[in-house]
Amino acid sequence: MALEGGALVLADKGICCIDEFDKMDDSDRTAIHEVMEQQTVSIAKAGIVATLNARAAVLAAANPLYGRYNNKKSLSENINLPNSLLS
């Protein structure tokens, strides 16, 4: 059995581009947030426990709510994402 890293692990020391970030599940966004903070991915699968490096910059694209950007609202309000993910 072999461990295979996802996009952030494969982008180690590079850039990971993510499209449709606003349509991602909350659990996936939470996982990405943790990886961005710790720069590692911890995996426990089939008795194998590993920590993989994920030292990548994340460039994400998201669509505004209701299909239009509202200049009177902040960026986080326009795309409905927390400020912690926008830094």
Side-chain angles (χ1 to χ4, degrees), residues 51-73:
T51 301
L52 306 173
N53 289 325
R55 301 162 292 191
V58 176
L59 175 64
N63 296 315
L65 288 174
Y66 313 116
R68 296 193 70 131
Y69 192 85
N70 184 346
N71 290 328
K72 296 177 182 175
K73 293 185 178 182

Side-chain angles (χ1 to χ4, degrees), residues 9-73:
V9 173
L10 293 173
D12 188 33
K13 295 186 181 178
I15 299 173
C16 181
C17 299
I18 303 172
D19 193 14
E20 303 289 343
F21 199 73
D22 54 313
K23 293 173 181 62
M24 192 178 289
D25 292 335
D26 287 337
S27 61
D28 293 333
R29 270 192 247 149
T30 301
I32 288 175
H33 190 258
E34 289 177 17
V35 171
M36 289 169 57
E37 283 181 343
Q38 299 170 6
Q39 297 185 339
T40 60
V41 176
S42 297
I43 299 173
K45 188 175 184 179
I48 299 172
V49 178
T51 301
L52 306 173
N53 289 325
R55 301 162 292 191
V58 176
L59 175 64
N63 296 315
L65 288 174
Y66 313 116
R68 296 193 70 131
Y69 192 85
N70 184 346
N71 290 328
K72 296 177 182 175
K73 293 185 178 182

